[in-house]
Amino acid sequence: MNHTIWKWRSASVLSRGLLAAALAVGSFLIPANESHADADGTIRVALYADIGSKYKSTVPLVTLQSEQSFNLVSIQTGSAPLQAVPAQTKIRVSLDGYRVKVLESSTWQAAADAAKKLQSTTDKPQLFVATKNGATVYQLYTGVYASENAAKEGLARVVKVGLTIPAGQAPMLTGNKHLSTGGYSTQQEATVALNQITAAGFDAWVVLLSAADGSARYEVWAGEAANESDLATFQAGLAAALPQFVLSAVAVTAPGLIVRMDAGLDWNSESQASHYIVSGSNAKFAASANDAGIQMVERSKRTYRGNLELSGLNGSLAVINVVPLEQYLYAVVGGEVSSGWPEEALKAQAVAARSYALSQGNKFDVANVVDTTLSQVYNGIGAEAPVITRAVDATAGEVLMSGGKIVEAVFSSNSGGVTADPTEVWNNGGDVFVSVASPEDIAAAATSKKWFNVILANGVSGYAREDNVKLTGNQTSAGLDIVTATTKDVNIRSLPVIESTVSPVGKLNPGENAVVLDKVIESGSYSWIKGPYTSAVLLKSLQGKTSGSLPSSILSLQVTGRGPSGRAIQVKANGEILQVKYPDLFRSSFNGLPSTLFDIVPSGSYTVLGADGSTATISNSQSAGVLSASGMVTVAGTGTVVMGKANTARVISSNSGFLFIGQGNGHGLGMSQWGVKGMADNGNDYKQILQHYYHNVTIVKE
């Protein structure tokens, strides 16, 4: 191990630190929409929807239940409830469309076994139970598919899975073309007609509809053809077998809820639930609100206030939560920050979140916002807390205004000590967003442990947490402290954070010494260290994010341009500028960095500053002459300990790569949530906090 004294010039202009927490809100700033949502009304939150390039989160079906009863209703003024759902009763909802009917079986187990094989594929199974020819039959499907071509591709995949298909059957395409036997005044009357059709061996279902006067009515629909030809064939067979029925094709625009029975709630044992299929290109139904809220199993079992609107969009099921704005904020504030934070911090978050929501207009076409960090974190009732409710209520209707418009009050988790200037993020934002000091961001590290960056006797370097080692009181000849373990088998980590999925790089035991290179805060939302990333890892991450060509190998990587806050706005690889659409894209370009407030340190080389101001880079494969106390000596690159400022050091690795050392978590524009917490701890009220982070704004009650 070489303890060589060099002055090494780091690119670092930041203090050292740690890893980041979950990313907070990120968005392209847009002008406030003049037709924004009503502050006293509701907001539309997309939970599942295919909105093209704007947002895509889809699911074949949703499973709903509530502690209280709720109704399925048609989205039509004055419509009567179509179906009551008892308390603590599960139902399922999916979209009528193209499916693959895989098989029919007389036993649940045979169908479930086939479904289990499909579970691991992209063609997700759905299992229904029905009565045909006087006997129970289990019908296994995959889908729904967004188009007929997509369904055909699904059919081809299903055939290749190697399922055991009953004799005389073959997987087939089905669709949303049906025949109606006419209307019925009661569900019982419709069921009588249904039983006649299924007893003759045909598929049919009761359908719930809303009459023109808003009352509930019923029809029986038969068949599920993928095209007109298949429908005509089915109609001929049904008419011949049951001539007493007058059949008519159902318009593809006709809204209806097809009632089926689901048998796929649990693939290990049979359980059943009513399954409602939303049919009709213009159909919109809803699970209506109640005081307890409605739980959606597929959305992490979250429970939502308001209505859950159910419709189809681009061939997929769309689920939109239509909820009173202030109730939406109860969950947003609770999802974005801790309920244990000071009341003034919660109020500041409430006003910012309300302003952001109201500024969005119909940004997502069928919705104002989505429930992810693409808008604001929205996790439903489970994120609420009484103290948060009080903070939202205390600021009810209050928003940030500038130039006569509601401000799109973006915020991030932690700005790392200084907020971003718009030029460092998305190149827009007007005069509301400027870089301001945010020293209170360090509140995020108030309870964080310190970690020693150490090098072991065998030359391995890594990090040991401060409560597992102690200073011996001795130092190396270069003035570096020496530590030893306070307990057996202390893990030496590759980064200053415990990652259960990453094996330690070494162990340290009592009596064994290690040399301290540096001491840093545990990686978190305030400061962090990432890497080292190899050239191959970085090139893979950069693919598709830069407009120019990439080198075959990255030999050097440097921040060559910084904005007002010190964030990277230009990076060169091998001396060539990496062209990105906007600076904040560097976060994802470099393997998911928490922020762009970073330095890059090559792990396998170091830069020497000469007496004449010139610099030279020494790689891990090179030797260098060093003037020591005993005269001129030659040292190898790998394993060399290079001294830096403030009696810190680092070791040159045998593996070439790049360490990213930075601060902050998120884009850094606007309000810093941890800074808000720190300012509130210091006695600032929510209005002072907001006007610190947003410039040229007034706080008004809408």
Side-chain angles (χ1 to χ4, degrees):
M1 179 168 62
N2 301 313
H3 295 288
T4 306
I5 302 178
W6 276 99
K7 276 196 172 183
W8 62 282
R9 189 172 72 177
S10 168
S12 182
V13 294
L14 311 172
S15 60
R16 307 288 178 78
L18 299 111
L19 192 66
L23 291 179
V25 170
S27 149
F28 284 103
L29 290 171
I30 56 172
N33 193 312
E34 297 295 344
S35 59
H36 58 69
D38 184 354
D40 296 324
T42 58
I43 189 167
R44 296 174 60 83
V45 188
L47 306 179
Y48 287 112
D50 180 357
I51 317 176
S53 60
K54 294 182 178 181
Y55 179 76
K56 185 173 183 178
S57 178
T58 60
V59 68
L61 55 82
V62 291
T63 308
L64 309 178
Q65 63 179 340
S66 177
E67 293 299 313
Q68 297 179 6
S69 63
F70 64 94
N71 292 314
L72 294 177
V73 300
S74 175
I75 305 296
Q76 178 180 321
T77 303
S79 292
L82 300 178
Q83 184 70 55
V85 179
Q88 299 181 336
T89 299
K90 288 183 179 180
I91 66 166
R92 281 187 152 175
V93 181
S94 64
L95 182 67
D96 196 13
Y98 296 104
R99 285 181 166 87
V100 173
K101 189 173 187 179
V102 180
L103 58 82
E104 289 188 347
S105 173
S106 59
T107 67
W108 178 86
Q109 192 62 57
D113 288 345
K116 289 177 183 178
K117 292 183 178 180
L118 290 167
Q119 267 191 300
S120 61
T121 72
T122 57
D123 302 284
K124 301 305 179 184
Q126 293 183 35
L127 183 60
F128 299 100
V129 59
T131 300
K132 287 176 70 174
N133 295 313
T136 299
V137 60
Y138 296 91
Q139 301 172 320
L140 180 64
Y141 294 77
T142 61
V144 173
Y145 300 95
S147 67
E148 186 173 2
N149 283 338
K152 288 178 179 178
E153 292 170 359
L155 175 60
R157 290 191 298 268
V158 168
V159 169
K160 295 178 181 178
V161 172
L163 304 175
T164 301
I165 307 294
Q169 295 186 31
M172 61 179 291
L173 211 61
T174 66
N176 60 351
K177 297 185 181 300
H178 313 287
L179 298 173
S180 174
T181 64
Y184 303 89
S185 58
T186 67
Q187 191 163 355
Q188 291 75 15
E189 290 177 3
T191 302
V192 171
L194 170 71
N195 291 339
Q196 294 180 55
I197 297 172
T198 58
F202 297 93
D203 288 316
W205 312 275
V206 172
V207 181
L208 310 177
L209 307 96
S210 182
D213 62 1
S215 62
R217 65 186 185 90
Y218 308 90
E219 290 187 7
V220 172
W221 291 359
E224 48 184 354
N227 51 60
E228 295 294 342
S229 176
D230 289 349
L231 185 65
T233 300
F234 178 84
Q235 182 170 1
L238 180 57
L242 299 169
Q244 67 271 32
F245 286 105
V246 177
L247 305 173
S248 60
V250 177
V252 293
T253 58
L257 276 178
I258 302 172
V259 184
R260 299 186 73 162
M261 186 60 66
D262 197 295
L265 289 173
D266 185 343
W267 298 122
N268 296 313
S269 61
E270 183 177 358
S271 57
Q272 298 182 4
S274 295
H275 190 127
Y276 300 92
I277 299 178
V278 176
S279 185
S281 56
N282 297 325
K284 284 187 179 179
F285 297 91
S288 62
N290 61 26
D291 292 338
I294 300 172
Q295 182 192 81
M296 188 184 305
V297 173
E298 289 71 23
R299 210 64 167 171
S300 302
K301 295 185 178 180
R302 294 171 186 153
T303 300
Y304 299 95
R305 297 181 183 274
N307 292 343
L308 295 179
E309 183 182 286
L310 308 162
S311 64
L313 183 64
N314 293 325
S316 296
L317 179 68
V319 183
I320 310 295
N321 186 198
V322 184
V323 59
L325 174 65
E326 298 299 310
Q327 293 182 9
Y328 162 76
L329 292 173
Y330 295 161
V332 167
V333 176
E336 287 286 355
V337 297
S338 169
S339 61
W341 283 12
E343 182 180 1
E344 295 304 304
L346 301 179
K347 288 179 181 178
Q349 182 66 61
V351 174
R354 184 182 294 110
S355 302
Y356 179 88
L358 288 173
S359 73
Q360 298 305 289
N362 294 320
K363 182 175 180 178
F364 294 94
D365 300 339
V366 296
N368 308 114
V369 293
V370 298
D371 69 333
T372 70
T373 55
L374 191 59
S375 294
Q376 303 182 109
V377 174
Y378 174 62
N379 294 336
I381 291 176
E384 297 178 10
V387 64
I388 290 173
T389 299
R390 289 195 296 271
V392 173
D393 290 346
T395 63
E398 291 186 11
V399 295
L400 296 166
M401 299 285 291
S402 180
K405 295 181 179 180
I406 296 176
V407 173
E408 187 185 18
V410 296
F411 47 87
S412 64
S413 173
N414 194 309
S415 72
V418 58
T419 67
D421 185 86
T423 59
E424 300 171 307
V425 186
W426 302 306
N427 293 319
N428 58 358
D431 59 359
V432 170
F433 301 95
V434 296
S435 178
V436 298
S438 185
E440 295 85 359
D441 287 329
I442 201 169
T447 60
S448 298
K449 296 289 186 182
K450 299 291 196 305
W451 289 67
F452 289 100
N453 182 202
V454 299
I455 182 168
L456 304 180
N458 62 3
V460 170
S461 64
Y463 294 86
R465 204 169 68 182
E466 63 178 346
D467 53 349
N468 293 322
V469 295
K470 65 178 181 180
L471 293 169
T472 65
N474 298 322
Q475 292 183 329
T476 68
S477 58
L480 298 176
D481 289 326
I482 296 175
V483 295
T484 189
T486 57
T487 187
K488 185 180 179 182
D489 289 333
V490 171
N491 287 323
I492 306 301
R493 302 282 180 179
S494 58
L495 293 173
V497 66
I498 296 174
E499 296 176 298
S500 58
T501 58
V502 179
S503 299
V505 296
K507 299 278 188 179
L508 186 66
N509 284 290
E512 298 174 347
N513 292 339
V515 176
V516 177
L517 304 174
D518 200 0
K519 191 176 183 181
V520 299
I521 306 171
E522 184 170 82
S523 282
S525 66
Y526 177 67
S527 57
W528 46 269
I529 300 174
K530 289 277 196 175
Y533 297 130
T534 65
S535 169
V537 168
L538 292 175
L539 286 171
K540 182 178 180 181
S541 181
L542 283 162
Q543 287 290 336
K545 300 184 180 77
T546 61
S547 57
S549 59
L550 293 172
S552 58
S553 179
I554 297 177
L555 303 177
S556 68
L557 193 65
Q558 298 173 313
V559 176
T560 52
R562 295 186 183 275
S565 76
R567 284 169 169 77
I569 59 173
Q570 184 185 87
V571 177
K572 288 184 179 180
N574 301 348
E576 297 294 326
I577 295 174
L578 292 172
Q579 300 287 353
V580 292
K581 187 174 182 180
Y582 49 89
D584 194 59
L585 199 58
F586 282 129
R587 283 198 287 159
S588 59
S589 297
F590 294 132
N591 212 39
L593 298 180
S595 80
T596 58
L597 191 58
F598 62 77
D599 288 320
I600 305 171
V601 178
S603 61
S605 65
Y606 57 98
T607 300
V608 178
L609 176 63
D612 61 355
S614 63
T615 61
T617 298
I618 312 298
S619 73
N620 53 14
S621 62
Q622 294 175 297
S623 297
V626 178
L627 181 61
S628 69
S630 58
M632 181 66 71
V633 296
T634 301
V635 297
T638 298
T640 299
V641 174
V642 183
M643 297 294 293
K645 58 186 178 182
N647 209 37
T648 62
R650 68 184 180 96
V651 64
I652 305 305
S653 170
S654 60
N655 298 317
S656 295
F658 300 93
L659 278 167
F660 291 80
I661 302 173
Q663 292 184 194
N665 182 21
H667 51 69
L669 197 64
M671 190 175 75
S672 174
Q673 290 169 312
W674 275 102
V676 168
K677 196 264 186 189
M679 288 187 70
D681 285 339
N682 292 341
N684 296 102
D685 67 32
Y686 76 100
K687 291 185 178 180
Q688 292 171 323
I689 293 169
L690 290 167
Q691 290 177 329
H692 171 73
Y693 284 110
Y694 303 104
H695 280 216
N696 302 309
V697 298
T698 55
I699 301 170
V700 302
K701 195 177 185 72
E702 274 282 280

